[in-house]
Amino acid sequence: MELHTYYSKLGLLRVTWGSKIDLRALKHHFELLKVNTHYARDLKVITSSPVEEIGVPLTKDNMLLVKQWREESLEDYNSITTAFYGLSPIPSAYISYFSEFFDSKKSLLRQFASEKDAMTWLMRDQKVL
């Protein structure tokens, strides 16, 4: 099961996944995005996980279902920018595949080797006082 930790001063959401990502966990994640009206409307998301198993068969129906959930969760946001880091090869391949479906004017997914690189990319427009 995923865990959402929100840092309001940064407009940053850290999503921590368990050892398995399946359709139920993805649906729950998107539902949390949809109902949390206190998240920044230009939300930055950072995530990494010791995922051992992905229980989402790469079928057309599953891709369309996940895409629908994601689009519904994006309705009240201006943008959601997501940085993944330190993923093992199989989750990394899934993210590459998903990004082909999910990158849009409102949504952008990218992968990085380290948390530092991911945070640098996410916070690139953040003004430092």
Side-chain angles (χ1 to χ4, degrees):
M1 184 60 73
E2 76 290 344
L3 171 68
H4 283 198
T5 306
Y6 183 61
Y7 302 93
S8 59
K9 289 184 180 180
L10 297 174
L12 178 72
L13 177 67
R14 181 176 293 276
V15 179
T16 305
W17 299 89
S19 61
K20 180 179 180 180
I21 296 176
D22 57 17
L23 285 171
R24 188 183 58 117
L26 286 171
K27 183 175 184 177
H28 187 250
H29 166 68
F30 293 129
E31 287 173 348
L32 288 174
L33 286 176
K34 188 174 182 176
V35 300
N36 281 299
T37 58
H38 64 280
Y39 289 171
R41 297 297 91 185
D42 288 305
L43 186 63
K44 297 169 183 67
V45 180
I46 188 163
T47 187
S48 181
S49 178
V51 173
E52 297 169 7
E53 183 180 351
I54 297 182
V56 182
L58 293 176
T59 66
K60 179 181 178 183
D61 288 343
N62 283 345
M63 295 301 99
L64 292 173
L65 185 60
V66 173
K67 184 175 183 173
Q68 176 188 338
W69 293 339
R70 184 164 176 81
E71 287 174 355
E72 289 171 359
S73 72
L74 285 167
E75 285 177 359
D76 293 329
Y77 288 89
N78 297 326
S79 67
I80 295 183
T81 306
T82 305
F84 296 87
Y85 68 93
L87 298 178
S88 63
I90 291 182
S92 180
Y94 266 75
I95 296 304
S96 291
Y97 187 74
F98 278 115
S99 68
E100 294 296 320
F101 286 94
F102 297 143
D103 279 356
S104 68
K105 291 179 183 180
K106 279 190 164 186
S107 173
L108 188 60
L109 306 172
R110 292 293 178 266
Q111 295 185 59
F112 299 89
S114 70
E115 181 178 12
K116 180 181 177 186
D117 291 342
M119 285 296 290
T120 298
W121 179 74
L122 276 175
M123 307 310 284
R124 65 194 178 280
D125 295 329
Q126 192 85 3
K127 291 188 168 67
V128 178
L129 299 176

